Amino acid sequence: KVLLDKQDQIILDILKNSPELLSPHNIAEKMQLSTRAVRTRLSKLYERGLITQLGSGPNDPKKRILLKGDSS
């Protein structure tokens, strides 16, 4: 089982409950954290296979995040 801290769980909950695809900036605003802090957490969640990132590359400003296996 994958152990998540509170902030990681909040990110996953935001993604699960959002009707639209979110950018790292959108998630940061909802959590009242810096975009950089959220990007670091998203990178680790991605490495663990919990989320998918949609975009043309790692620095794509239009990149969107979704839960792995989410068909939204």
Side-chain angles (χ1 to χ4, degrees):
K1 182 176 178 175
V2 178
L3 296 177
L4 301 172
D5 70 10
K6 184 178 179 180
Q7 297 294 331
D8 289 342
Q9 189 58 57
I10 290 170
I11 290 172
L12 295 178
D13 288 344
I14 288 170
L15 292 171
K16 180 179 178 183
N17 296 316
S18 176
E20 58 193 25
L21 296 178
L22 298 173
S23 70
H25 178 75
N26 297 137
I27 296 166
E29 285 182 332
K30 290 177 182 293
M31 296 182 70
Q32 298 181 332
L33 293 175
S34 71
T35 302
R36 178 177 287 202
V38 169
R39 280 191 187 128
T40 299
R41 289 183 171 278
L42 290 171
S43 178
K44 291 177 183 175
L45 291 171
Y46 177 76
E47 289 172 7
R48 294 167 90 174
L50 298 173
I51 62 170
T52 300
Q53 302 181 57
L54 302 176
S56 62
N59 299 319
D60 182 354
K62 295 183 179 180
K63 176 170 48 181
R64 296 295 180 258
I65 312 298
L66 67 150
L67 289 174
K68 191 84 167 199
D70 191 351
S71 60
S72 296

